[in-house]
Amino acid sequence: MTNFYFNHLALSVKDVNESVTFYQKVFKFKEIENTASDSITRWLLLDNGLQLHLIPRPKEKIVTNKAVHFAFATPNIESFITYLEELNIEYSDWKNTPTKEYIRKDGIKQFYFQDPNGYWIEVNNDV
């Protein structure tokens, strides 16, 4: 059987520059070269070697809901919450209770917020 490894996540975005700024400001992701094409799609490198590809689609409708999300884990969840508050980024639990995190049945703490395009991002301490 062939092994598979997660390589990257690609998101359609209205304004690629705004999205790059957001992900670099919030998560400190480093921009890397788009080696696939000469397009204005921009690539960001996550700490674990995975990539986030931001594909400009200014005329496309972006439809999101919280059930379709991606998650990042950090052992420093409390300091990250403080950082989001400093950036004036609203976050909530799964039920949309503002400024509240949720502790799952397995003891993992998590919360959600949105990027400039409305994509839902979960942050948890499952590390």
Side-chain angles (χ1 to χ4, degrees):
M1 178 72 182
T2 302
N3 293 327
F4 291 92
Y5 303 94
F6 194 83
N7 180 262
H8 72 272
L9 172 67
L11 299 176
S12 296
V13 299
K14 295 286 183 188
D15 182 326
V16 71
N17 295 325
E18 177 185 43
S19 294
V20 167
T21 298
F22 175 84
Y23 283 99
Q24 287 183 323
K25 181 195 256 183
V26 173
F27 295 106
K28 310 293 188 217
F29 294 156
K30 178 184 170 197
E31 186 165 8
I32 59 174
E33 180 184 0
N34 171 353
T35 59
S37 70
D38 293 328
S39 73
I40 57 174
T41 294
R42 294 175 67 182
W43 292 7
L44 299 175
L45 182 65
L46 287 66
D47 287 339
N48 55 6
L50 302 176
Q51 299 172 10
L52 176 61
H53 297 181
L54 301 170
I55 304 170
R57 294 291 183 262
K59 296 179 183 175
E60 298 291 326
K61 182 177 180 182
I62 297 172
V63 179
T64 65
N65 68 68
K66 197 177 271 187
V68 179
H69 64 273
F70 52 98
F72 297 111
T74 178
N76 303 315
I77 196 164
E78 295 303 330
S79 63
F80 187 71
I81 288 171
T82 300
Y83 182 62
L84 284 182
E85 290 169 345
E86 290 170 4
L87 295 175
N88 294 313
I89 295 175
E90 296 177 7
Y91 65 93
S92 65
D93 64 6
W94 179 258
K95 296 179 179 179
N96 293 325
T97 308
T99 64
K100 186 171 189 286
E101 61 271 7
Y102 174 75
I103 300 186
R104 300 183 332 202
K105 189 169 90 171
D106 60 3
I108 299 300
K109 186 180 283 190
Q110 66 183 37
F111 62 89
Y112 299 82
F113 62 99
Q114 290 178 284
D115 80 354
N117 294 279
Y119 290 110
W120 284 98
I121 303 166
E122 174 188 331
V123 173
N124 64 52
N125 62 349
D126 188 13
V127 289

